[in-house]
Amino acid sequence: MRKQWCAPCALRAGCAAHGAPRGLLLVLLLAATPVCRAGIDHLVPYDDSGIWKRSNQEIVEYGLIAAEVGGALWEGGETRLGRTFWTSIDSSVAAGLVAQLMKVTFSRVRPRDSSPPPGDPNLWFQGHGNQSFPSGEVTAVSSIVTPFMLEYGHEYPAVYALGLLPVYDAVARVKAQAHWQTDVLAGFALGTGTAWLIHRSPNSPFILQVMPHFIYVGIGKSF
């Protein structure tokens, strides 16, 4: 049987050939690998009711962003919790930038914008604002919660429940026909992988290092 070709697999080979930085290469590999699994992508019935409503998805995403920024500013970088908040900011910013670059590069058509049902998940490099791969929201949610699971999960196992948030968002985005299954899997891999790389770096959190002193100390302690 002829081996199926897909754009992310080609990207993986190209990056390796040109000696891309190992950290970035790992993130891209994690994000691209799910796409190479044939038979995953399919259109599901549209569902914007109950917990899957778009407004609930936005509450999760924007609520997490507000929590990480607010927590980071309040705690500063002198406490373990504060450094974790700032690591979460580093992760979400870095993963968000990579996700947007990939969206523009691959310009994959969203399920709701593809040909009539069952749709065509193979519409890559279509341009014209098509930005289905990867899911930016799943990337964001994953990158925000992962540092807390890595930092506290082994001490407080209940923290691992945060992992349900990107799972919820992934299912909701597929049900909204905004993303294919591999889009959300790639977003989860990208967000989690970026957070893991930054969490294990001895130089993180990075953004905190350019903040004013009263931010480093924490607003809660400065006033």
Side-chain angles (χ1 to χ4, degrees), residues 51-114:
I51 64 171
W52 310 116
K53 289 185 65 174
R54 179 61 181 154
S55 58
N56 292 329
Q57 300 171 38
E58 293 175 338
I59 288 174
V60 171
E61 181 186 15
Y62 296 130
L64 286 173
I65 293 174
E68 71 166 347
V69 173
L73 294 176
W74 184 260
E75 283 289 323
E78 295 186 326
T79 66
R80 181 185 181 188
L81 178 59
R83 288 192 296 272
T84 306
F85 272 119
W86 281 104
T87 299
S88 179
I89 290 179
D90 283 349
S91 302
S92 57
V93 170
L97 291 174
V98 175
Q100 188 57 40
L101 176 62
M102 294 175 70
K103 282 175 173 289
V104 174
T105 300
F106 293 116
S107 57
R108 189 185 196 186
V109 178
R110 297 180 186 274
R112 63 189 177 209
D113 297 328
S114 63

Side-chain angles (χ1 to χ4, degrees), residues 6-218:
C6 67
C9 292
L11 174 67
R12 177 172 58 185
C15 288
H18 289 84
R22 287 186 297 176
L24 178 58
L25 178 60
L26 175 60
V27 172
L28 292 176
L29 283 174
L30 286 170
T33 297
V35 180
C36 300
R37 294 178 59 87
I40 292 179
D41 290 322
H42 62 280
L43 195 67
V44 302
Y46 181 79
D47 188 355
D48 187 38
S49 61
I51 64 171
W52 310 116
K53 289 185 65 174
R54 179 61 181 154
S55 58
N56 292 329
Q57 300 171 38
E58 293 175 338
I59 288 174
V60 171
E61 181 186 15
Y62 296 130
L64 286 173
I65 293 174
E68 71 166 347
V69 173
L73 294 176
W74 184 260
E75 283 289 323
E78 295 186 326
T79 66
R80 181 185 181 188
L81 178 59
R83 288 192 296 272
T84 306
F85 272 119
W86 281 104
T87 299
S88 179
I89 290 179
D90 283 349
S91 302
S92 57
V93 170
L97 291 174
V98 175
Q100 188 57 40
L101 176 62
M102 294 175 70
K103 282 175 173 289
V104 174
T105 300
F106 293 116
S107 57
R108 189 185 196 186
V109 178
R110 297 180 186 274
R112 63 189 177 209
D113 297 328
S114 63
S115 56
D120 185 357
N122 298 312
L123 298 177
W124 299 84
F125 305 109
Q126 300 300 304
H128 305 296
N130 293 295
Q131 298 184 6
S132 186
F133 179 85
S135 169
E137 290 188 19
V138 176
T139 299
V141 174
S142 301
S143 62
I144 291 172
V145 302
T146 297
F148 293 93
M149 294 190 289
L150 293 174
E151 182 66 29
Y152 293 104
H154 63 287
E155 297 178 36
Y156 309 100
V159 174
Y160 288 123
L162 290 172
L164 295 174
L165 294 177
V167 173
Y168 158 76
D169 194 62
V171 174
R173 299 305 285 152
V174 171
K175 283 181 172 291
Q177 297 183 349
H179 289 287
W180 300 102
Q181 286 79 359
T182 48
D183 295 338
V184 297
L185 287 174
F188 180 80
L190 176 59
T192 303
T194 303
W196 178 78
L197 288 172
I198 292 178
H199 179 268
R200 71 191 298 268
S201 172
N203 298 318
S204 67
F206 303 102
I207 296 177
L208 178 63
Q209 298 176 22
V210 300
M211 291 291 105
H213 179 69
F214 78 95
I215 294 295
Y216 187 91
V217 173

Side-chain angles (χ1 to χ4, degrees), residues 74 214 218-223:
W74 184 260
F214 78 95
I219 295 176
K221 297 189 179 98
S222 298
F223 299 97

